[in-house]
Amino acid sequence: MITKEQVLGLDDSKLVNFKDDPKRMLVLLGDRDAVKALGPLFADAYDNGFEIKIASAYRSFYKQFKIFDDKFNGKRPVLDENEEPMDISSLSDEQKVLEIVRFSAIPGFSRHHFGTDFDIYASNLLPEGKQLELTAREYQKGSYFYKLDVYLKNALNKFGFKRPYTGKNSMGYEPWHISYEKKACEFLASFKLDDALEYLSSFNEPWVPYAIEYAKTHYKDLIGA
């Protein structure tokens, strides 16, 4: 049984620690079934010339809250529809929220809470000295992750994964975000809008009321349902 706390990223006790590469120091958290499914996908990717690494796996409610709060307060960049950093300092609190949610889920409404979703990239395709952006332009034809994009389009389904954020709704296109569909669907089935809204409403940050109003009508987009 999947609990409310697990769905909202408040309980990681059922997740497992793992590394995407024994040589890396980064220890990640993920759903056991999803992590197991990564192995065959990564092995096949390697056979096809891609050394897949994970930029982000499980993310708790509080981690997502800090990301959102930092963006609201100008401590992290906010990207516009063209994936360029924008100045939101002169915007109203409501407008700031509307800009942030393009590429950042509201805490309590992130698939990263499930442990079934991962942000990935091919380390061997990232140009030397280039910082990873996690932007769609990195996957466009002529860019360094384009071959990875083509591979993922053809391979993900075979290993039980999909890319939930296609850019066809209010959320931006995220070609780097993959989800282990079978287990993610179990979390989505256990998601309850009222639970997420109630927990988020217990915080007093100025952006919270606007995030709540947005989530009421866009929650399916946020969680990729």
Side-chain angles (χ1 to χ4, degrees):
M1 177 181 176
I2 298 174
T3 67
K4 172 179 70 176
E5 289 73 22
Q6 289 172 303
V7 172
L8 298 182
L10 299 170
D11 178 11
D12 62 9
S13 62
K14 299 296 174 60
L15 303 179
V16 296
N17 294 310
F18 73 102
K19 290 186 177 184
D20 58 3
D21 184 337
K23 298 178 182 178
R24 294 181 86 196
M25 297 298 294
L26 183 64
V27 178
L28 303 156
L29 276 176
D31 172 82
R32 184 182 302 275
D33 295 334
V35 171
K36 184 178 180 180
L38 286 175
L41 171 62
F42 284 12
D44 186 74
Y46 185 82
D47 290 342
N48 282 274
F50 306 104
E51 297 177 17
I52 303 295
K53 298 291 184 293
I54 296 175
S56 182
Y58 168 78
R59 199 179 298 148
S60 72
F61 177 97
Y62 300 107
K63 176 64 175 177
Q64 190 68 28
F65 192 97
K66 187 175 189 313
I67 291 172
F68 205 98
D69 193 59
D70 282 352
K71 289 190 174 185
F72 183 85
N73 291 301
K75 296 179 181 179
R76 284 175 178 256
V78 175
L79 302 185
D80 64 17
E81 59 185 6
N82 297 314
E83 299 182 308
E84 296 295 338
M86 64 181 298
D87 180 7
I88 65 170
S89 60
S90 62
L91 301 180
S92 69
D93 289 352
E94 181 179 15
Q95 289 172 326
K96 289 178 182 178
V97 168
L98 293 177
E99 296 296 342
I100 294 169
V101 295
R102 182 181 292 112
F103 291 110
S104 292
I106 293 167
F109 297 83
S110 172
R111 292 175 72 107
H112 281 287
H113 296 337
F114 305 162
T116 60
D117 288 48
F118 310 92
D119 295 339
I120 65 169
Y121 65 101
S123 59
N124 61 314
L125 299 186
L126 187 66
E128 186 175 356
K130 177 70 175 177
Q131 184 175 353
L132 181 67
E133 297 178 358
L134 289 182
T135 59
R137 62 170 165 260
E138 292 179 297
Y139 290 78
Q140 292 175 347
K141 190 171 184 177
S143 194
Y144 39 88
F145 289 152
Y146 176 68
K147 290 182 179 179
L148 174 62
D149 181 57
V150 174
Y151 167 77
L152 293 175
K153 285 178 181 177
N154 294 321
L156 283 181
N157 187 59
K158 292 187 295 183
F159 298 96
F161 288 87
K162 74 170 188 177
R163 294 193 280 194
Y165 297 110
T166 62
K168 294 181 180 179
N169 51 40
S170 60
M171 296 292 289
Y173 177 42
E174 297 188 357
W176 60 87
H177 184 132
I178 67 171
S179 178
Y180 184 54
E181 188 170 14
K182 180 180 179 180
K183 199 62 179 285
C185 284
E186 294 180 20
F187 277 87
L188 291 173
S190 299
F191 176 87
K192 291 181 173 57
L193 176 61
D194 288 345
D195 289 343
L197 295 176
E198 180 181 8
Y199 193 75
L200 184 58
S201 67
S202 66
F203 295 86
N204 297 319
E205 279 70 11
W207 54 266
V208 168
Y210 301 105
I212 287 174
E213 286 305 309
Y214 183 89
K216 286 179 180 178
T217 54
H218 294 86
Y219 71 95
K220 289 186 177 180
D221 292 351
L222 290 166
I223 61 175

